[in-house]
Amino acid sequence: MKKFVYLAVIGLVLGLLFISESFMLMIFSSIIIFGIAALGLNILNGYTGQVSIGHGAFVAVGAYVTSVMSMNFHTPFILNILVVIVCAGLLGFLIGLPALRLKGFYLAIATMAFGVAIQQLFAAIHIFGGHGGLYGIPRLIKSEFGMYLFNLGFFILMYFIADVITSSPVGLKYRMVRDSETASKAYGIKLSSVKLNAFVVSAIYGGIAGALYAHTITYISPADFGLGLSINLLSMIIIGGMATLEGGLIGSVIITGLPFLFSRTKVPMSIIIGALIIIFVLFFPRGLSYGLKMAFLKYLQMPLVWFRKLRARRAKRDGDWVEVNGKKIFYTSRGEGKPIVMLHGNLGCGLWYSRVMDLPGYRTIALDMVNFGRSDRIKDSEMSSYALYLRGFIEKLGFKDVFLVAHSLGGAVAMEMAFDAPELVSRLLLIDPCPIDGLHTPEEHYPFLELYKSNPRMLKKSLLAIAPHIGDMKFLNSLTDNAYLMNRDSFIAHPRGLDKVNLTERAKSFKKPVLVVAGAEDILINREMAEATADALGGSVLILENIGHSLMVEDPDLFKEVLLNFDE
Amino acid sequence: MLVLQSIILGIPQGALYGLMGFGIALIFRSVGTMNFAHGNAGMVCVFVAFSVFTATGSIILSILCGIIVGFLLGVIIDKALMGPIKHLSHAGMLMITLGLLMIFEGAAQLIWGTDYQQFPELLRGEPLIMRLGENKLIMPLNDLLITAVAVAVSIIIALYLKYAKLGIATRARAQDPIGAKVVGIDTNMVDSLVWGIGISISVLVGILIAPKTYIHPGMMGNMQIYGFTAGVLGGFESLFGAIAGGLILGILEKLVGAYISPDYQLSIVLIIIIIMLAVKPSGLFGKKSSGRV
């Protein structure tokens, strides 16, 4: 809903800024009108994958029908638009029928032939004014500003409808047909009805754009709706972005707006548009809309990242440093007694254990591993390096028989270290650990992980997803702040490293008690993974209901209970 | 009698449509790209020929220059643009050729302007007049030449494809690109060659129709649509389908012009191809087997 309000406000402000310049308002109007047509073409071409280079025909039908009706019969616009919708829809249905059998180039030829045929028919029929076209089409609203607002209102309405359609099951079917006809058939989708549906919807959009065009410009001729317009519409969605709602408008701003920018020069528009089409198809196939979105996600929130880092550094944390191999490791220690060393997961730090450090009779130590939090950076982000530093840390503090608690990525580090030096470890409590044979992150997730580096909102959401019952948003915020203290390269390197983990063989020689705890609602580590890990280590499994990936932040009391039970 | 006269006038027109479709089909069959910039690529080269003609006054030289420039343009299009993107989807290639279409149109406007330029007929003189009883059938000399050229060019290319070494290589590449590479055919070279020949044919068509349509940036727009139509009618599967389709189209067009109205010529023809595509996309002479040039 928000974006419609934004659209309306931006449109209104632009209109008010240029309220006295009717020429500018007319340009804005045509941008919006072609935006509607491009939106319709995007439904057909972007969402459903049916190429059309005859879309100008639908615009022509809309323009001519409303012109002839209002000039000859003085019918009200509301009636005209209904007739336009019916006519354009019927025509869309008609061209949709042969298009059902055609694909790729053949479909392009058919739609091109259709577009030119309709244009020629309008030029040949007397009532439509022949090649000269029609003059003096009545304006709906006398003032240019009023007409602009009218068009804007229509655009927002059509945008809203397109939003509803594309996010409905019908829109899903469109995309299925585009991505694989065979697969959508297998899902019981009737290809012909979906394609026809898309043709009709997209034709209606074209028709409405044509009707608005006629009443705004007040002069139409067949030459306005030829192959040139069809290619322009296509280039709008290529440049703006295929299969996006805003792509059509962005493309329309460029394609409709450019001629006014270049009006003083002698460079013909078609060179520029042609070059833009080729450049976008070859180098930016996702269009400007994707580029703008990515720029927004990547760069606009960078100041917030710096702010969060600063806040994390400034925040008060009691603790001490230990130097291992020349790198300082930060840790927090609480209480006296049997030592427990707690390892955090990816994007984490010692703070994740802050709610569970009060354990009577134990000395709890939560450290920031190297590359995390306030500890020093190292060059690589390998689990085995982390394990070496962890071993050095434990030796430096002079512990023997440490009770190791490890979460997620820390689990892999803890296992690695425990297999290296079993004498240092007395028992192992693994909370939703990285599976014994590695955790695979699908390749298509990496671009999103890349975005976490620069987008605190996304990172916060993903942390919330792995700690769904955290409750305290302030705590989540400070965890997010601290996540940014992690080495920037590790955002990508950690999942890659976890992918490579394979400790199954080495686990066989490990004989200490092990407990693997997993939340039933964990989205990363499922029950099978937890069981496999426990099997390999010869330990037991505990599955907890209503817990996600991070027991210690989601239910601290339960964590303590589990830990104490395990130690008895 | 009107029927006969329409047929006679339709044949040269149809031969040109056929030649246009022939060039498009040649590129489509061998390289796999439907070239939507075919007409405009030819148009630019016709302008070059026109410039040569105004500079030297020699028709033969200008035609030669136009065709050679057309060949080079085809090779450049393949080497610089279409060659590296063979992996792209049909929609992607379609859009790129549409972009080329726009660029050629704009370039012609920029260099030569939008005025209509006159180009001389290749053959002038009294039209052939046949008398059948009381009726007269008229065949302009230039039209006769056009038909002859179109027939000659298609026969030459047919012979080339059938017997010349490179022609056989072209056919092999069309049938099976990998197989062609295995037997040592440089498919990239063949592709460039096909593009070159295809565009030169378009130039030839442009030069042949120039006396009628005059030379201007939009001169080949309809011609290209007719070329596609001829290809669809005859079937892109076989090259001679395109020629035959073009002839049918030309005659049909004249008949529509004579009996209904010249205003409806193009739209009726276009509606026919839409129906044709819907009913029999492989065309009148299309065969099921693909891969023949």
Side-chain angles (χ1 to χ4, degrees), chain A residues 240-449:
Chain A
M242 289 273 193
T244 58
L245 291 175
E246 62 281 355
L249 182 65
I250 296 171
S252 176
V253 170
I254 307 247
I255 298 293
T256 320
L258 267 184
F260 301 104
L261 209 66
F262 283 88
S263 58
R264 298 271 168 87
T265 66
K266 274 175 69 187
V267 183
M269 272 318 292
S270 39
I271 286 198
I272 296 163
I273 295 178
L276 280 178
I277 293 179
I278 294 180
I279 290 169
F280 270 86
V281 169
L282 288 184
F283 305 111
F284 312 102
R286 298 197 223 207
L288 273 181
S289 138
Y290 174 79
L292 290 176
K293 262 184 221 158
M294 288 315 276
F296 175 77
L297 290 175
K298 265 192 181 155
Y299 302 112
L300 216 72
Q301 299 200 24
M302 280 311 271
L304 281 178
V305 171
W306 294 322
F307 169 71
R308 278 181 180 268
K309 266 189 184 171
L310 196 71
R311 200 164 67 179
R313 286 210 188 92
R314 289 279 169 83
K316 198 170 159 305
R317 269 177 83 186
D318 297 324
D320 223 332
W321 272 276
V322 162
E323 201 171 299
V324 179
N325 298 345
K327 302 284 177 192
K328 287 200 293 182
I329 294 179
F330 179 87
Y331 71 98
T332 321
S333 167
R334 195 82 59 84
E336 281 305 326
K338 203 172 158 188
I340 302 183
V341 171
M342 296 167 161
L343 298 180
H344 56 81
N346 189 16
L347 299 166
C349 63
L351 216 56
W352 282 60
Y353 289 95
S354 57
R355 289 173 157 190
V356 294
M357 300 220 5
D358 297 316
L359 282 169
Y362 291 93
R363 180 176 178 200
T364 49
I365 295 166
L367 72 155
D368 293 0
M369 287 192 276
V370 280
N371 268 350
F372 291 90
R374 299 193 172 183
S375 299
D376 281 349
R377 304 280 178 271
I378 59 169
K379 280 204 186 89
D380 61 316
S381 305
E382 299 296 326
M383 301 308 130
S384 45
S385 320
Y386 292 169
L388 282 179
Y389 279 99
L390 174 63
R391 185 177 173 182
F393 173 81
I394 292 173
E395 283 168 348
K396 203 91 180 202
L397 289 184
F399 296 144
K400 295 240 162 54
D401 286 351
V402 160
F403 183 169
L404 257 185
V405 177
H407 172 226
S408 192
L409 170 141
V413 179
M415 285 189 274
E416 189 115 21
M417 197 225 85
F419 304 156
D420 281 347
E423 69 281 0
L424 289 180
V425 180
S426 67
R427 49 184 61 217
L428 208 50
L429 172 58
L430 299 172
I431 300 158
D432 302 86
C434 164
I436 191 95
D437 52 353
L439 179 68
H440 178 63
T441 306
E443 198 54 43
E444 58 267 28
H445 290 189
Y446 282 96
F448 295 97
L449 295 172

Side-chain angles (χ1 to χ4, degrees), chain A residues 32-42 55 59 202 205-206 209-210 233 237:
Chain A
I32 287 171
I33 289 166
F34 289 121
I36 294 177
L39 186 58
L41 181 60
N42 218 339
H55 227 67
V59 183
S202 137
Y205 270 79
L233 288 177
I237 62 170

Side-chain angles (χ1 to χ4, degrees), chain A residues 227-237 251 255 273 277, chain B residues 102:
Chain A
L227 190 58
L229 174 63
S230 302
I231 297 180
N232 276 359
L233 288 177
L234 194 63
S235 60
M236 283 177 201
I237 62 170
I255 298 293
I273 295 178
I277 293 179
Chain B
M102 305 280 283

Side-chain angles (χ1 to χ4, degrees), chain A residues 51 98 101 105 268 270 277 282, chain B residues 34 85 94 102 106 109 278-279:
Chain A
V51 183
R101 296 191 57 184
F105 290 131
S270 39
I277 293 179
L282 288 184
Chain B
M34 195 67 90
I85 53 151
L94 166 78
M102 305 280 283
Q109 282 175 17
V279 178

